[in-house]
């Protein structure tokens, strides 16, 4: 087989890129290790920046998102026994949207299938060959049969555990990582959200977040030790812990019910450099991970896709390789800023096991400064709604 761009990974990054390329008449084939149902069952991100919304619209898949997504003009921060609000629209003129990653992925799959775009599921043993030459190719097996696709470029959109990043030799690759000493226990429940807006809470018992997917679907998280197992947490224990960490008026009106999903995610900051090696480009979680505080995971994947899509368009439609050559540098400049924001927000809102009294005072002072300073709120809002591409 031959195509112009092989996309390894059928998560949001890979699907979005394939759909954007299709709109510009550039051919691609997506290789996904799992089944479509498996990819759709992963409950992950919930908050989309304008940049991501615009890309979805540009890819021709924004209609359901615009009809069903919830526009959020601000967020609540609860700490030190009080709650204050940061108004994104007042500070930056820009809101964010609540629309789940599951829905994003579903819309992208539907559009790709409707357009007759090729997605190969259940691929095994993907190997990227000759990425440093002008004629790369990718091999893989499905049901034991080996396949080969020759191509011009390979987009590595295969997440943190994929093969693309590891294709870049160790001698070329630098990795930067920070592991946080806690995780997030998250639940999904078919109950109305406790508030119209998100509540980020720093409590003496640890961080908690009240989020949502729609008017009858809530997403809640509590910080937990890395040694905890999901099975140790009954629904009753989760609701009890959440109520103890959020403001009293929210706890009093919280509607609880059976959870329909429960999982623990570790928190990590990670960046690999460079994000390009010859004709192989890394996008999204294949290249970087942020701790979830601040909802930057999916949104940073989107900015990579924006840069790569424009670079490929320039290559094929305008005959310029400026975008291709500058991809890694351009993408990383924005990624590091999102890494900084996620790291800052994680430090601001969590309780660390080795936190001294001095550290706690610093955290309280930072929160008080954020509450009282217009400038600090503008900085927070500017980052939360997404830095420009
Ligand atoms: P992925 O979604 O990981 O997709 C990669 C795809 O590649 C997968 O479908 C995988 O099956 C496939 N793949 C992997 N290896 C291969 C291979 N060798 N061959 C073929 N295919 C392969 N972000 C937020 O903003 N908010 C959140 O609340 C949030 N929660 C999260 C919870 C968890 C448990 C995790 C893991 C992430 C969370 N994120 C969150 C981050 C966000 O979901 C990711 O940033 C986003 O999914 C990145 O998309 P991606 O397409 O780059 O990678
Ligand atoms: C969600 C996750 C986040 O990490 C965040 O900062 C906001 C919302 C969510 O899953 O809804």
């Amino acid at each position: 087989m031959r195509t112009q761009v092989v996309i390894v990974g059928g998560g949001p990054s890979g699907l979005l890129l394939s759909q954007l390329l299709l709109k510009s008449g550039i051919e691609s084939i997506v290789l996904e290790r799992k089944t479509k149902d498996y990819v759709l069952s992963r409950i992950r991100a919930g908050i989309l920046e304008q940049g991501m919304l615009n890309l979805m619209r540009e890819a021709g898949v924004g209609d359901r998102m615009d009809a069903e997504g919830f526009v959020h003009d601000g967020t609540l921060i609860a700490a030190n026994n009080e709650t204050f609000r940061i108004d994104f629209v007042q500070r930056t003129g820009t809101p964010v949207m609540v629309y789940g990653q599951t829905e994003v992925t579903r819309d992208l799959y539907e559009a790709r299938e409707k357009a007759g775009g090729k997605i190969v599921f259940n691929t095994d043993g993907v190997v990227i060959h000759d990425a440093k030459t002008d004629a790369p190719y990718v091999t893989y097996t499905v049901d034991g049969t080996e396949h080969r696709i020759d191509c011009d470029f390979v987009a590595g959109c295969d997440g943190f555990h994929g093969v693309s990043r590891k294709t870049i030799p160790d001698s070329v690759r630098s990795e930067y990582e920070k592991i946080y000493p806690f995780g997030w226990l998250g639940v999904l429940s078919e109950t109305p959200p406790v508030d119209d807006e998100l509540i980020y809470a720093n409590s003496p018992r640890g961080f908690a977040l009240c989020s949502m997917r729609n008017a009858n679907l809530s997403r809640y998280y509590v910080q937990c030790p890395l040694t905890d197992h999901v099975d140790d947490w009954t629904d009753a224990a989760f609701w009890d812990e959440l109520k103890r960490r959020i403001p009293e008026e929210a706890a009093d009106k919280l509607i609880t019910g059976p959870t329909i999903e429960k999982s623990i995610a570790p928190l990590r900051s990670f960046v690999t450099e460079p994000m390009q090696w010859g004709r192989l480009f890394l996008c999204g979680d294949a290249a970087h991970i942020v701790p979830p505080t601040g909802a930057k995971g999916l949104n940073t994947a989107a900015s990579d896709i924006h840069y790569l899509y424009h670079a490929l368009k320039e290559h094929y439609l305008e005959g310029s390789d400026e975008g291709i050559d500058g991809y890694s540098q351009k993408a990383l400049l924005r990624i590091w800023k999102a890494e900084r924001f996620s790291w800052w927000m994680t430090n601001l809102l969590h309780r660390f096991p080795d936190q001294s009294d001095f550290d706690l005072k610093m955290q309280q002072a930072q929160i008080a400064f954020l509450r009282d300073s217009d400038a600090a709120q503008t900085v927070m809002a500017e980052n939360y709604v997404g830095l420009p591409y």
Side-chain angles (χ1 to χ4, degrees), residues 48-64:
L48 308 184
E49 297 173 356
Q50 285 304 320
M52 171 76 181
L53 303 183
N54 291 339
L55 277 180
M56 290 284 283
R57 291 171 189 138
E58 199 173 340
V61 290
D63 289 352
R64 194 163 72 94

Side-chain angles (χ1 to χ4, degrees), residues 280 289 312:
L280 166 64
I289 299 287
L312 290 170

Side-chain angles (χ1 to χ4, degrees), residues 293-352:
T293 338
K296 289 285 158 259
L298 181 55
N299 292 304
T300 47
S303 61
D304 293 348
I305 296 304
H306 168 90
Y307 295 128
L308 183 55
Y309 160 58
H310 283 279
L312 290 170
K313 231 167 77 168
E314 278 165 37
H315 171 85
Y316 283 113
L317 309 182
E318 294 162 27
S320 160
D321 276 353
E322 217 173 288
I324 294 281
D325 296 338
Y327 169 74
S328 181
Q329 208 185 355
K330 217 172 186 176
L332 281 166
L333 191 63
R334 188 175 188 277
I335 291 309
W336 276 115
K337 292 178 189 166
E339 290 282 343
R340 186 206 67 80
F341 177 67
S342 307
W343 161 85
W344 171 80
M345 217 169 148
T346 300
N347 281 296
L348 187 77
L349 297 173
H350 291 74
R351 292 295 161 124
F352 287 72

Side-chain angles (χ1 to χ4, degrees), residues 349-360:
L349 297 173
H350 291 74
R351 292 295 161 124
F352 287 72
D354 60 353
Q355 212 163 14
S356 67
D357 288 347
F358 179 83
D359 295 336
L360 262 178

Side-chain angles (χ1 to χ4, degrees), residues 16 42 55 136 140 212 265 279 291 319 375:
L16 186 58
R42 292 189 293 220
L55 277 180
Y140 60 95
M212 66 197 73
R279 290 186 163 231

Side-chain angles (χ1 to χ4, degrees), residues 44-47 184 198 200 209 211-213 219 221 292-295 384:
R44 290 180 170 182
I47 304 286
W184 275 19
L198 270 62
Y200 287 90
L209 170 61
S211 182
M212 66 197 73
R213 290 294 177 272
R219 182 78 166 145
Y221 300 94
T293 338
Y384 195 95

Side-chain angles (χ1 to χ4, degrees), residues 164-182:
S164 300
R165 184 176 68 253
K166 293 165 203 151
T167 302
I168 303 179
D170 288 352
S171 57
V172 177
R173 201 160 26 106
S174 301
E175 296 189 344
Y176 303 86
E177 183 172 55
K178 181 173 182 68
I179 310 269
Y180 299 85
F182 40 72

